[in-house]
Amino acid sequence: MTASTSAPAGRTPLARRRALRAPAASRSNALPAGAWWLWALGLATAASRTTNPLLLGLLVGVAGYVVAARRTDAPWARSYGAFIRIGLFVVAVRLVFSVFLGSPIPGTHTVFTLPEVPLPDWAKGGRLGGRVTAEQLVFALYDGAKLATLLICIGAANSLANPARLLKSLPGALYEAGVAVVVAMTFAPNMVADVMRLRTARRLRGRPTGGIKAVLQIGLPVLEGALERSVAVAASMDARGYGRTAQVPPAVRRTTNVLTLGGLLGVCAGTYGLLAAQGAVYGVPVLIAGLVAAMAGLRLGGARSVRTRYRPDRWGVRAWLVAGSGVVVAVAMIWAGGAYGEALHPGVVPLTAPVLPLWPAAAVLIGLLPAVVAPVPPPVGTPANAAPVGAAPVGAAPVGAAPVGAPNSKEIQ
């Protein structure tokens, strides 16, 4: 008699790899919008701590790769390219200002000389035209690249986070302000989508899509569509009872105001203490006390809100990993400011080639974690009701399903 071989205890290596693989995105496992914003703000904080163009380019590459790997087909997900163009425009404007208005950076390598316009006595200290040096151009390029990277990181958050889901995560006391912020954040992506739709329609009709005349003809329908959306949003909010508040005792209102205002002042004082060398001792306790007081005030202020949350967002392991990766990048870059100060801020007088510091660059690569752990969205152009990859074919009954003709739960109810 042959002994039967039993399966090894636990999961097989293939099953473990499948369990670690990111699942297909659905409504139930979608990441909270706050996780994407914390990740993007962490990258933006890291960008604000350096002017090294190599590190800034690495941050832009990390943000772009995550957006390309995890963005959906929603209207707000198409705004990343617009933020890149805005960033390039910012760099160009910074260079133009440096050329025509001068720069406080001294330089010895003259690139060209513009005719200098004499200015009146009240404008002493400035100039219009004159000598343009390589040092001031490089300084302007570094400065503009830092601001462009900040904008691109914010654009990554706009492309990945659903503004409506972000509104769910706000405390009840900030709900009214949050609606205004969400409407403002939604306006730019929807405007970009409208412009792309109108340009495609004009291209199909054989009409030009470039030039001043085409821009003027496209601008009016875009503004009209934005106005119609605003009126529709206002009507829907009014129909749902927006603005109604519950009655709370006067003592609770006064306590809420004191806690919120005192907590925000404590946060400001604690932050200043952390940034200043003299206040490093009291900075941390004052900041913690301010955060606790502000959170208590917001908690009490939420008692005025009578709204309810439908399907509140839950922070799972993947959401914490996405948010934590951005925080790690920010903390590592702040720490690197003391250890790699010269590498993070390459000098321009004299001109030196920037170098890529190893450990800050490795810390920036941690920001790629969302491209691995975040749920995988369906391919662009896939219908919303299409079955995910690996699902049973249409018409095939899943294992354990009720036979055809059996009443479902809705029919039973």
Side-chain angles (χ1 to χ4, degrees):
M1 182 176 180
T2 306
S4 59
T5 58
S6 60
R11 294 183 176 181
T12 63
L14 180 59
R16 285 195 295 267
R17 284 197 298 270
R18 289 179 177 177
L20 294 175
R21 188 181 304 169
S26 62
R27 187 179 182 88
S28 60
N29 65 358
L31 292 183
W36 287 120
W37 272 100
L38 287 176
W39 168 79
L41 290 177
L43 297 185
T45 303
S48 66
R49 309 295 295 189
T50 179
T51 56
N52 190 323
L54 301 179
L55 288 175
L56 294 176
L58 190 60
L59 285 168
V60 172
V62 167
Y65 182 81
V66 174
V67 170
R70 290 298 183 265
R71 71 174 175 179
T72 62
D73 199 17
W76 60 81
R78 306 170 189 172
S79 60
Y80 185 69
F83 278 92
I84 293 179
R85 288 189 287 270
I86 292 174
L88 295 176
F89 178 75
V90 166
V91 175
V93 169
R94 183 66 180 87
L95 288 173
V96 169
F97 280 3
S98 177
V99 168
F100 287 98
L101 301 181
S103 174
I105 301 299
T108 57
H109 299 79
T110 302
V111 179
F112 55 87
T113 303
L114 296 176
E116 188 170 354
V117 179
L119 298 178
D121 295 338
W122 55 267
K124 288 183 177 180
R127 67 178 178 88
L128 187 60
R131 188 169 64 99
V132 178
T133 63
E135 287 83 357
Q136 77 178 65
L137 290 179
V138 172
F139 177 78
L141 179 63
Y142 289 174
D143 198 24
K146 180 172 72 172
L147 182 56
T149 306
L150 289 171
L151 292 173
I152 291 173
C153 292
I154 299 302
N158 276 278
S159 300
L160 294 170
N162 188 342
R165 296 177 70 94
L166 180 63
L167 186 61
K168 290 183 178 182
S169 305
L170 290 178
L174 300 178
Y175 180 69
E176 297 178 0
V179 170
V181 174
V182 168
V183 171
M185 289 191 306
T186 312
F187 176 76
N190 286 330
M191 184 177 64
V192 172
D194 287 346
V195 171
M196 295 176 61
R197 176 175 53 83
L198 291 174
R199 290 186 64 183
T200 303
R202 290 179 62 87
R203 191 180 300 112
L204 292 175
R205 293 185 177 95
R207 297 180 181 178
T209 58
I212 299 178
K213 183 178 179 181
V215 171
L216 294 177
Q217 292 177 351
I218 292 176
L220 183 60
V222 168
L223 294 177
E224 182 180 358
L227 180 61
E228 291 179 355
R229 273 198 308 272
S230 300
V231 173
V233 169
S236 62
M237 291 169 63
D238 182 71
R240 290 172 173 81
Y242 171 77
R244 299 175 184 174
T245 57
Q247 296 294 332
V248 295
V252 175
R253 289 201 303 269
R254 288 192 291 268
T255 304
T256 301
N257 296 333
V258 171
L259 287 176
T260 305
L261 182 59
L264 294 178
L265 291 176
V267 169
C268 294
T271 305
Y272 176 78
L274 291 177
L275 296 177
Q278 296 82 3
V281 177
Y282 68 85
V284 174
V286 172
L287 178 61
I288 295 176
L291 288 175
V292 172
M295 292 176 63
L298 293 177
R299 183 72 176 177
L300 289 177
R304 298 178 64 248
S305 177
V306 294
R307 69 188 181 97
T308 58
R309 295 185 181 181
Y310 177 68
R311 291 181 179 176
D313 289 334
R314 302 185 184 277
W315 283 68
V317 177
R318 299 183 185 275
W320 285 112
L321 287 176
V322 169
S325 63
V327 174
V328 169
V329 173
V331 172
M333 194 63 69
I334 293 173
W335 168 82
Y340 301 90
E342 295 182 358
L344 265 60
H345 300 277
V348 295
V349 181
L351 281 175
T352 57
V355 297
L356 183 63
L358 178 60
W359 290 111
V364 171
L365 293 179
I366 299 176
L368 291 172
L369 187 62
V372 179
V373 301
V376 182
V380 177
T382 303
N385 56 355
V389 178
V394 178
V399 178
V404 178
N408 54 27
S409 58
K410 292 184 178 180
E411 294 175 351
I412 295 175
Q413 294 175 356

